[in-house]
Amino acid sequence: TQGGSVLFHVAIKPKLPPGVILEKISWGIESGSKHIAMLHVSPGKHVLKWVNLQDKYKKRVHMLNTTTLRIDKLTLEDSGRYWAQVSLTGGIENAQYFDLIVYEPMTSPQMLAEILSLTQDWCNVTLECHALETSGAENVSWESKGLPRELEQTGAPGPAPNPWTLALTLPLSQPSPSVTCVVSSPVDQKSATRDLGEVCGHGECSCLRGGDPQS
């Protein structure tokens, strides 16, 4: 997530052939068809040898050990494919790749409830779940509590247009059912819940309420 951190760890066989040791690891990033080297690190040495991109990364990159690199204060521009070139004695080399996608932090969605019709026994209501900021990578799922079984809303998240809409016809005899809209990205999740008993009981035409962060 934007502002967070990421770890890249190079996997090296625990038992190398006799006489073969790690000489250095070179770290870099792909830019189009080019492999741009950023820095080199050698075993037992805490000083990083920078070769490129110091202005962008130097204050945010740290080596936790010889094989683990951490990037702090991630920005959207940090997204890309990083690589590590492992150099062993005897001219043995191998490369490992790390794909990074940095997402913007999610904000809690808001739910709009609109009563289409209200009778003595039934409440016909439409719910809209509005994500205030979207990147196109979000999924949505509806969850319900206290609804008759045939009206329960569950299921795996799936992409949908923003806002996401759900139409329900509720028996007013049902005590305080609620519906939750859960919006999730690959790295975060937020939700908003509406008490439908409150909506239908007061005969509201429309109401907008934000959700609380998912705990």
Side-chain angles (χ1 to χ4, degrees), residues 74-132:
L74 290 171
T75 68
L76 299 179
E77 292 73 24
D78 290 334
S79 297
R81 195 175 206 205
Y82 294 78
W83 52 266
Q85 181 79 23
V86 179
S87 300
L88 307 174
T89 53
I92 302 173
E93 293 187 340
N94 68 79
Q96 298 178 31
Y97 294 87
F98 309 88
D99 292 311
L100 174 65
I101 301 176
V102 181
Y103 294 91
E104 294 185 52
M106 292 183 63
T107 56
S108 295
Q110 291 185 321
M111 288 183 68
L112 178 69
E114 182 178 3
I115 294 178
L116 302 181
S117 63
L118 183 63
T119 68
Q120 185 176 356
D121 300 315
W122 296 91
C123 176
N124 188 2
V125 62
T126 296
L127 301 175
E128 289 185 355
C129 182
H130 293 257
L132 302 184

Side-chain angles (χ1 to χ4, degrees), residues 7-209:
L7 292 176
F8 296 142
H9 178 71
V10 173
I12 298 178
K13 293 181 180 180
K15 291 186 179 181
L16 295 173
V20 176
I21 61 173
L22 175 65
E23 286 188 333
K24 70 175 181 179
I25 298 178
S26 301
W27 293 87
I29 186 171
E30 288 187 359
S31 178
S33 59
K34 297 180 180 179
H35 284 57
I36 301 176
M38 290 195 303
L39 60 90
H40 307 300
V41 60
S42 300
K45 297 181 180 179
H46 300 288
V47 178
L48 307 182
K49 184 179 179 181
W50 285 87
V51 291
N52 283 300
L53 304 175
Q54 295 98 316
D55 292 343
K56 182 177 180 180
Y57 289 102
K58 190 170 184 178
K59 293 182 179 180
R60 301 188 292 125
V61 167
H62 307 277
M63 297 303 303
L64 302 189
N65 51 52
T66 304
T67 58
T68 305
L69 178 142
R70 186 183 74 205
I71 305 176
D72 294 330
K73 299 179 181 178
L74 290 171
T75 68
L76 299 179
E77 292 73 24
D78 290 334
S79 297
R81 195 175 206 205
Y82 294 78
W83 52 266
Q85 181 79 23
V86 179
S87 300
L88 307 174
T89 53
I92 302 173
E93 293 187 340
N94 68 79
Q96 298 178 31
Y97 294 87
F98 309 88
D99 292 311
L100 174 65
I101 301 176
V102 181
Y103 294 91
E104 294 185 52
M106 292 183 63
T107 56
S108 295
Q110 291 185 321
M111 288 183 68
L112 178 69
E114 182 178 3
I115 294 178
L116 302 181
S117 63
L118 183 63
T119 68
Q120 185 176 356
D121 300 315
W122 296 91
C123 176
N124 188 2
V125 62
T126 296
L127 301 175
E128 289 185 355
C129 182
H130 293 257
L132 302 184
E133 297 178 4
T134 61
S135 65
E138 294 84 3
N139 285 331
V140 65
S141 63
W142 294 95
E143 299 176 358
S144 61
K145 182 179 180 181
L147 288 177
R149 179 170 298 180
E150 63 271 17
L151 296 178
E152 286 182 354
Q153 299 295 321
T154 58
N162 183 30
W164 297 281
T165 303
L166 177 67
L168 291 172
T169 300
L170 305 173
L172 293 180
S173 58
Q174 196 70 25
S176 298
S178 64
V179 172
T180 298
C181 169
V182 181
V183 180
S184 59
S185 74
V187 294
D188 201 1
Q189 178 174 291
K190 294 288 189 296
S191 67
T193 299
R194 288 312 314 261
D195 184 335
L196 299 182
E198 176 185 321
V199 173
C200 294
H202 289 81
E204 301 178 34
C205 291
S206 63
C207 44
L208 189 65
R209 179 175 297 176

